[in-house]
Amino acid sequence: MRLWGAALLMAGCGGFGFTLAAANRREASMLRKLIQALQEMEWELKYRMPALADLCKIAADASGGMVREIFLELEKKLVKREVYDISACVNSIVIQKELPRSVRKNIKQLGSSLGRYDLEGQLQGLETVRRQCRKDLQKLEENSVQRLRNYQTLAFCAGAALTILLI
């Protein structure tokens, strides 16, 4: 019985380390998708100047996963004309989703500038958010292989230490 408990304890702690590593990878992936969507939005604004609903659809098509869902939901609300304050709408959409802190912060910042300013203001807002996303992504990717390996190793070591203490 004790051996089973020890094995389960080590597996649980090791799983926690792998969960931390997976969350880090997920956040980096979402930031990359958001950067791509922002780049696509900027290009479209510079050369075609579509309506905001169409711009959200274009951003959704350029991204994937949860970022795509957010832009599609915003596009749907814009088409149905359920939106009076885009910033509040983006905040309400983001609150419903389980997003990493940096992704949530950047999307909220995007929502505060979307549809508010002239073309130059829109482009500047997109560039500001994209720059912040790149900075957040760079911070995540610094020594990421070593750091993620450390998370996993430390989790297993903590499980082993707890097992030794309890046996």
Side-chain angles (χ1 to χ4, degrees), residues 78-91:
L78 287 167
V79 167
K80 290 182 179 179
R81 302 202 190 279
E82 296 176 3
V83 177
Y84 297 105
D85 180 17
I86 294 174
S87 179
C89 181
V90 168
N91 287 340

Side-chain angles (χ1 to χ4, degrees), residues 17-18 20-22 24-25 28 32 137-154:
F18 280 94
L20 283 176
N24 193 293
R25 287 186 196 103
R32 279 188 210 96
L137 183 60
Q138 183 180 10
K139 199 182 295 183
L140 276 175
E141 289 179 339
E142 284 177 3
N143 302 321
S144 67
V145 173
Q146 183 65 35
R147 190 169 22 88
L148 297 181
R149 193 175 310 129
N150 288 344
Y151 287 164
Q152 295 164 350
T153 304
L154 286 173

Side-chain angles (χ1 to χ4, degrees), residues 38 106 109 123-133:
L38 293 170
N106 287 315
Q109 184 179 358
L123 292 172
Q124 187 176 4
L126 289 171
E127 177 60 30
T128 301
V129 175
R130 196 172 74 229
R131 222 176 306 130
Q132 184 61 45
C133 285

Side-chain angles (χ1 to χ4, degrees), residues 92-108:
S92 71
I93 292 170
V94 167
I95 287 172
Q96 298 170 1
K97 309 286 184 191
E98 271 190 50
L99 296 170
R101 187 176 46 86
S102 66
V103 175
R104 174 172 294 177
K105 176 188 65 151
N106 287 315
I107 291 177
K108 282 183 175 184

Side-chain angles (χ1 to χ4, degrees), residues 34-103:
L34 183 56
I35 289 168
Q36 181 59 40
L38 293 170
Q39 183 67 56
E40 195 72 29
M41 290 171 83
E42 187 176 327
W43 291 334
E44 288 293 324
L45 277 175
K46 280 183 180 176
Y47 302 110
R48 285 195 13 204
M49 292 179 30
L52 190 53
D54 295 335
L55 192 62
C56 290
K57 176 73 171 130
I58 290 165
D61 292 341
S63 60
M66 189 71 70
V67 174
R68 176 184 170 82
E69 289 177 25
I70 290 168
F71 281 115
L72 285 176
E73 196 168 330
L74 181 59
E75 184 251 348
K76 184 172 62 174
K77 289 184 180 213
L78 287 167
V79 167
K80 290 182 179 179
R81 302 202 190 279
E82 296 176 3
V83 177
Y84 297 105
D85 180 17
I86 294 174
S87 179
C89 181
V90 168
N91 287 340
S92 71
I93 292 170
V94 167
I95 287 172
Q96 298 170 1
K97 309 286 184 191
E98 271 190 50
L99 296 170
R101 187 176 46 86
S102 66
V103 175

